[in-house]
Amino acid sequence: MASSPRPAATAAAHRRGLIQRPPSARAYLSAAAALLVLAAVAFSRAGHRFPRPPATRRCRPDAEGSWSAGVFLGDSPFSLEPIEHWGISKADGAAWPVANPVVTCADVEDAGFPSSFVAKPFLFLQGDAIYMFFETKNPITSQGDIAAAVSEDAGVTWQQLGVVLDEEWHLSYPYVFTYKNKVYMMPESSKNGDIRLYRALDFPLKWELEKVLLEKPLVDSVIINFQGSYWLLGTDLSSYGAKQNREISIWYSKSPLSPWIPHKQNLIHNTGKMLSTRNGGRPFIYNGNLYRVGKGQGGGSGHGIQVFKVEILKSNEFKEVEVPFVINKQLKGRNAWNGARSHHLDVQQLPSGKLWIGVMDGDRVPSGDSVHHLTIGYMIYGVVLVLALVTGGLIGTINCCLPLRWSLPHTEKRSGLFNVEQRFFLYHKLSSLISNLNRLGSLICGRINYRTCKGRVYVVVVMLILVVLTCVGTHYIYGGNGAEEPYPIKGKYSQFTLLTMTYDARLWNLKMFVEHYSKCASVRDIVVVWNKGQPPAQGELKSVVPVRIRVEDRNSLNNRFNIDSEIKTKAVMELDDDIMMTCDDLERGFKVWREHPDRIIGYYPRLSEGSPLEYRNERYARQQGGYNMVLTGAAFMDHGLAFKKYWSKEAEVGRQIVDSFFNCEDILLNFLFANASLTSTVEYVKPAWAIDMSKFSGVAISRNTQAHYHVRSKCLAKFSEIYGNLTAKRFFNSRGDGWDV
């Protein structure tokens, strides 16, 4: 909020002639209201987000969503799990483990091709290489093109090959298959009014038109070889009475290149209320049965995947039934890459014959979300404007009377569309309208006396409402899609384990903690270290990720760093259960840790210096311009590295000191890291905001700050005698990402 001008600045303004006379109280009120609204706009536009480094930029989704593609693996098409559940790691990209999505529009843009989303992916297996063909929407031309990527490690990492097929019309749904040792692609080209078959000249980069199969605007079409015939299934939007999702048409032929004969039952309707007949991926054969993938019902792009078992497929008869099909999906809403919907799946068996691989698209927001946000935002702006004008009239800062000269006829000549009588008639009507508006203005003008206590209360309340509405409106316009998304490194995403230590007196803290942080995008699971009392039942903790309660034998702060072989990620976020911060804060810290996995990445910096060392707070560190320690009550670390150091033989004396003071376990870990390195071992990430919930519960260990700091200074003295000094001071704002200011 802007402060009032200093007296010296005001005098200088008078000297420069900028202030001609003392402003009235009314003017002060008007200026204050304007400043509050402007401050709200600035604050809302900035939000609580920090700038993203260039390496983490993301393409802006359009009205159709923010689609991306993820990889799933399983022993069968009906037991697919996201790739992160398989624990596959890649040091190149700092992904331990690799997590979905594996292909995004940002990856396509990094390859030099503008993209606002990627969707409808198809796989093509060739030896050890797996190719992915998908639709990418060009935000410049507003049409879909076909792009490709290749993986040499069973779908874990993907190299972008760029756009491989671009026509003058929209393309999507790049169904790729082989016929007589040649590779063909049949993309959707309904905007051109036909369905076309392309043949690869230089796979996968160059294609040429082989044949126009049908002069019909088919969408989401596939060709399958089944029981000695080739079958083409698609949705024909040109048919009379056709609906976008509820019918398909079938043709059959001796080969993909031969004439196609329509099925006797076309159009084939799906009579189920929640079923969709439109294709949603490649049909597959499993245990001798043919299965067709369909789009889930729920709008233009669907909300899920359905699988149908084809029981009869003949030239005069077709019958299928839906079968159960469930894919493990994150329940994190907009924070999950596929939290809102998926509408496409291609699943194939890997050449080894042991695993099946599936590729699915997903979106975190529904269609039209960005337009919806803009509409609401501008509507709120309109309400703010009207409310500001009415308030100005009520307190008399705005003249409520319109000048009648606006309705007087002009005397100059006009070439005109109207004759004199028509012009005077219009002027008369306008004069009547202005008179009526002036009567209304006279009723409200100056009705609130801002000089009285009651009037000032009215003004303050209205100003607060204006600020709140402006913040909300600006958030809808500039706040994005409301998701707190993860930050990729070299196009790769990963996950971490959240670990907290608590006991029975802080159960209410724990419940809020688990419910909030389980929805953060990169949190794989939560480990609760239970130090004392009766642990809660699993049903008491509301979480969308697995929660494991590890009950300890004794109440010790050393338990925080106990070696735990059941932790499935390399990164652990140690976070006290009484600290609440945004998911975006966690995601930023996780990104910094992935860039520096050998360091402790924390949110609370400290600088301990002097002789003997003295424990000081963050304010002191900022006054001195740097830090050499971070609190591990909110810090990322490599649990294999950190926990091993903490339980090493050299740390035994330090652990005894921790038990004797029931304090300082975080200081000990900082010393152990510093003792093993000559360079910086800590990194600071500034949280947008953080709330210490222990202030409301009265169960904090460090209620008496002065006594707490005194104990920690004793720990510093003892640890420095055993392990030497901490590393040199690390300066704020030295990393270059703008997150350590």
Short mmCIF file of all heavy atoms in Angstrom, two decimals, residues 346-370:
data_model
loop_
_atom_site.label_atom_id
_atom_site.label_comp_id
_atom_site.label_asym_id
_atom_site.label_seq_id
_atom_site.Cartn_x
_atom_site.Cartn_y
_atom_site.Cartn_z
N ASP A 346 -3.41 -44.96 -26.49
CA ASP A 346 -2.87 -45.95 -27.41
C ASP A 346 -2.01 -46.90 -26.59
O ASP A 346 -1.05 -46.47 -25.94
CB ASP A 346 -2.03 -45.29 -28.51
CG ASP A 346 -1.53 -46.30 -29.55
OD1 ASP A 346 -2.01 -47.45 -29.52
OD2 ASP A 346 -0.65 -45.95 -30.35
N VAL A 347 -2.34 -48.18 -26.59
CA VAL A 347 -1.61 -49.16 -25.79
C VAL A 347 -1.13 -50.28 -26.71
O VAL A 347 -1.88 -50.80 -27.54
CB VAL A 347 -2.48 -49.71 -24.64
CG1 VAL A 347 -3.77 -50.32 -25.15
CG2 VAL A 347 -1.71 -50.70 -23.79
N GLN A 348 0.15 -50.64 -26.57
CA GLN A 348 0.74 -51.70 -27.38
C GLN A 348 1.71 -52.52 -26.53
O GLN A 348 2.24 -52.03 -25.52
CB GLN A 348 1.50 -51.11 -28.57
CG GLN A 348 0.64 -50.31 -29.53
CD GLN A 348 1.40 -49.87 -30.76
OE1 GLN A 348 2.15 -50.63 -31.35
NE2 GLN A 348 1.20 -48.62 -31.15
N GLN A 349 1.94 -53.75 -26.97
CA GLN A 349 2.86 -54.63 -26.25
C GLN A 349 4.29 -54.38 -26.73
O GLN A 349 4.54 -54.29 -27.93
CB GLN A 349 2.49 -56.09 -26.45
CG GLN A 349 3.23 -57.05 -25.54
CD GLN A 349 2.66 -58.46 -25.60
OE1 GLN A 349 2.06 -58.85 -26.61
NE2 GLN A 349 2.83 -59.23 -24.54
N LEU A 350 5.22 -54.23 -25.79
CA LEU A 350 6.61 -54.03 -26.14
C LEU A 350 7.19 -55.28 -26.77
O LEU A 350 6.71 -56.40 -26.52
CB LEU A 350 7.41 -53.64 -24.89
CG LEU A 350 7.10 -52.27 -24.30
CD1 LEU A 350 7.82 -52.08 -22.97
CD2 LEU A 350 7.49 -51.17 -25.27
N PRO A 351 8.22 -55.14 -27.61
CA PRO A 351 8.79 -56.30 -28.31
C PRO A 351 9.23 -57.42 -27.37
O PRO A 351 9.23 -58.60 -27.75
CB PRO A 351 9.98 -55.70 -29.06
CG PRO A 351 9.61 -54.27 -29.28
CD PRO A 351 8.83 -53.88 -28.07
N SER A 352 9.62 -57.08 -26.14
CA SER A 352 10.05 -58.11 -25.20
C SER A 352 8.91 -59.05 -24.82
O SER A 352 9.15 -60.18 -24.38
CB SER A 352 10.61 -57.45 -23.93
OG SER A 352 9.59 -56.73 -23.26
N GLY A 353 7.67 -58.59 -24.99
CA GLY A 353 6.52 -59.41 -24.65
C GLY A 353 6.18 -59.42 -23.18
O GLY A 353 5.20 -60.05 -22.76
N LYS A 354 6.97 -58.74 -22.35
CA LYS A 354 6.74 -58.76 -20.91
C LYS A 354 5.83 -57.63 -20.44
O LYS A 354 5.05 -57.80 -19.51
CB LYS A 354 8.07 -58.69 -20.17
CG LYS A 354 8.99 -59.88 -20.43
CD LYS A 354 10.29 -59.74 -19.66
CE LYS A 354 11.22 -60.92 -19.92
NZ LYS A 354 12.51 -60.80 -19.19
N LEU A 355 5.97 -56.48 -21.07
CA LEU A 355 5.23 -55.31 -20.63
C LEU A 355 4.43 -54.71 -21.77
O LEU A 355 4.77 -54.88 -22.94
CB LEU A 355 6.18 -54.24 -20.06
CG LEU A 355 6.86 -54.52 -18.72
CD1 LEU A 355 7.82 -53.38 -18.40
CD2 LEU A 355 5.84 -54.69 -17.60
N TRP A 356 3.37 -54.01 -21.39
CA TRP A 356 2.61 -53.19 -22.32
C TRP A 356 2.90 -51.73 -22.01
O TRP A 356 3.08 -51.35 -20.85
CB TRP A 356 1.11 -53.46 -22.15
CG TRP A 356 0.68 -54.80 -22.66
CD1 TRP A 356 0.97 -56.01 -22.10
CD2 TRP A 356 -0.11 -55.07 -23.81
NE1 TRP A 356 0.41 -57.02 -22.83
CE2 TRP A 356 -0.27 -56.47 -23.90
CE3 TRP A 356 -0.72 -54.27 -24.78
CZ2 TRP A 356 -0.99 -57.08 -24.90
CZ3 TRP A 356 -1.46 -54.88 -25.78
CH2 TRP A 356 -1.58 -56.27 -25.85
N ILE A 357 2.96 -50.93 -23.05
CA ILE A 357 3.18 -49.50 -22.90
C ILE A 357 1.97 -48.75 -23.44
O ILE A 357 1.43 -49.10 -24.50
CB ILE A 357 4.48 -49.04 -23.60
CG1 ILE A 357 4.70 -47.54 -23.37
CG2 ILE A 357 4.44 -49.36 -25.10
CD1 ILE A 357 6.05 -47.04 -23.86
N GLY A 358 1.53 -47.78 -22.71
CA GLY A 358 0.41 -46.95 -23.15
C GLY A 358 0.80 -45.49 -23.11
O GLY A 358 1.60 -45.07 -22.27
N VAL A 359 0.25 -44.72 -24.01
CA VAL A 359 0.46 -43.28 -24.01
C VAL A 359 -0.92 -42.63 -24.00
O VAL A 359 -1.80 -42.99 -24.78
CB VAL A 359 1.31 -42.82 -25.21
CG1 VAL A 359 0.66 -43.19 -26.54
CG2 VAL A 359 1.57 -41.32 -25.16
N MET A 360 -1.10 -41.72 -23.08
CA MET A 360 -2.40 -41.09 -22.88
C MET A 360 -2.22 -39.58 -22.82
O MET A 360 -1.21 -39.08 -22.33
CB MET A 360 -3.03 -41.59 -21.58
CG MET A 360 -4.38 -40.97 -21.24
SD MET A 360 -5.01 -41.48 -19.61
CE MET A 360 -5.34 -43.21 -19.93
N ASP A 361 -3.19 -38.85 -23.35
CA ASP A 361 -3.15 -37.40 -23.20
C ASP A 361 -3.95 -37.00 -21.97
O ASP A 361 -4.76 -37.77 -21.45
CB ASP A 361 -3.64 -36.68 -24.46
CG ASP A 361 -5.09 -36.98 -24.80
OD1 ASP A 361 -5.77 -37.63 -24.00
OD2 ASP A 361 -5.54 -36.57 -25.89
N GLY A 362 -3.69 -35.80 -21.50
CA GLY A 362 -4.39 -35.32 -20.31
C GLY A 362 -4.38 -33.81 -20.27
O GLY A 362 -3.52 -33.14 -20.85
N ASP A 363 -5.36 -33.26 -19.57
CA ASP A 363 -5.50 -31.81 -19.45
C ASP A 363 -5.85 -31.49 -18.01
O ASP A 363 -6.60 -32.24 -17.36
CB ASP A 363 -6.59 -31.31 -20.39
CG ASP A 363 -6.66 -29.80 -20.49
OD1 ASP A 363 -5.73 -29.14 -19.98
OD2 ASP A 363 -7.62 -29.28 -21.05
N ARG A 364 -5.30 -30.39 -17.51
CA ARG A 364 -5.57 -30.01 -16.14
C ARG A 364 -6.77 -29.07 -16.02
O ARG A 364 -7.25 -28.82 -14.91
CB ARG A 364 -4.33 -29.36 -15.51
CG ARG A 364 -3.87 -28.09 -16.14
CD ARG A 364 -2.66 -27.52 -15.40
NE ARG A 364 -1.43 -28.25 -15.66
CZ ARG A 364 -0.80 -29.00 -14.77
NH1 ARG A 364 -1.29 -29.12 -13.55
NH2 ARG A 364 0.31 -29.64 -15.08
N VAL A 365 -7.28 -28.53 -17.13
CA VAL A 365 -8.42 -27.61 -17.09
C VAL A 365 -9.43 -28.01 -18.16
O VAL A 365 -9.07 -28.57 -19.19
CB VAL A 365 -7.99 -26.15 -17.32
CG1 VAL A 365 -7.10 -25.67 -16.19
CG2 VAL A 365 -7.28 -25.97 -18.64
N PRO A 366 -10.71 -27.74 -17.94
CA PRO A 366 -11.72 -28.06 -18.96
C PRO A 366 -11.68 -27.08 -20.12
O PRO A 366 -11.07 -26.02 -20.05
CB PRO A 366 -13.04 -27.95 -18.18
CG PRO A 366 -12.74 -27.03 -17.05
CD PRO A 366 -11.30 -27.25 -16.69
N SER A 367 -12.36 -27.44 -21.22
CA SER A 367 -12.43 -26.57 -22.39
C SER A 367 -13.07 -25.24 -22.04
O SER A 367 -14.01 -25.16 -21.24
CB SER A 367 -13.26 -27.24 -23.50
OG SER A 367 -12.52 -28.24 -24.13
N GLY A 368 -12.54 -24.18 -22.66
CA GLY A 368 -13.10 -22.86 -22.45
C GLY A 368 -12.76 -22.23 -21.11
O GLY A 368 -13.29 -21.18 -20.76
N ASP A 369 -11.84 -22.85 -20.37
CA ASP A 369 -11.51 -22.34 -19.04
C ASP A 369 -10.92 -20.93 -19.10
O ASP A 369 -11.28 -20.07 -18.30
CB ASP A 369 -10.53 -23.29 -18.35
CG ASP A 369 -10.23 -22.89 -16.92
OD1 ASP A 369 -11.07 -23.14 -16.05
OD2 ASP A 369 -9.15 -22.31 -16.69
N SER A 370 -10.02 -20.69 -20.05
CA SER A 370 -9.40 -19.37 -20.14
C SER A 370 -10.42 -18.31 -20.52
O SER A 370 -10.40 -17.20 -19.98
CB SER A 370 -8.26 -19.40 -21.17
OG SER A 370 -8.74 -19.79 -22.46
#
